[in-house]
Amino acid sequence: MASNPGRNYSRTELLNIIWGYNFEGYEHTVNSHINRLRAKIESNMAQPMYILTTWGVGYKFNEEI
């Protein structure tokens, strides 16, 4: 995501990029990993600056940073 700031990634895309097309787990696993990343890099998780949620689409890395 940081390599392509501003590009939206759906949960499915992230699963395919990270774990491959044969991943048979739960799609919302991505949410848990995003939350863990945010806990490590964000100063205020209630107002993330780096990893942004695009409602109805997925996640993106902030292109304005």
Side-chain angles (χ1 to χ4, degrees), residues 2-58:
S3 297
N4 295 301
R7 182 183 184 279
N8 287 300
Y9 292 89
S10 68
R11 287 184 195 99
T12 304
E13 284 180 289
L14 291 171
L15 287 171
N16 291 337
I17 291 167
I18 296 166
W19 287 284
Y21 290 98
N22 295 326
F23 182 76
E24 295 182 11
Y26 189 54
E27 192 175 272
H28 287 279
T29 298
V30 173
N31 298 25
S32 298
H33 288 286
I34 293 292
N35 286 337
R36 288 186 188 120
L37 283 171
R38 282 180 173 159
K40 291 180 181 189
I41 65 172
E42 302 285 358
S43 58
N44 180 359
M45 285 187 51
Q47 295 180 327
M49 291 177 40
Y50 299 103
I51 300 174
L52 306 177
T53 301
T54 305
W55 296 106
V57 179

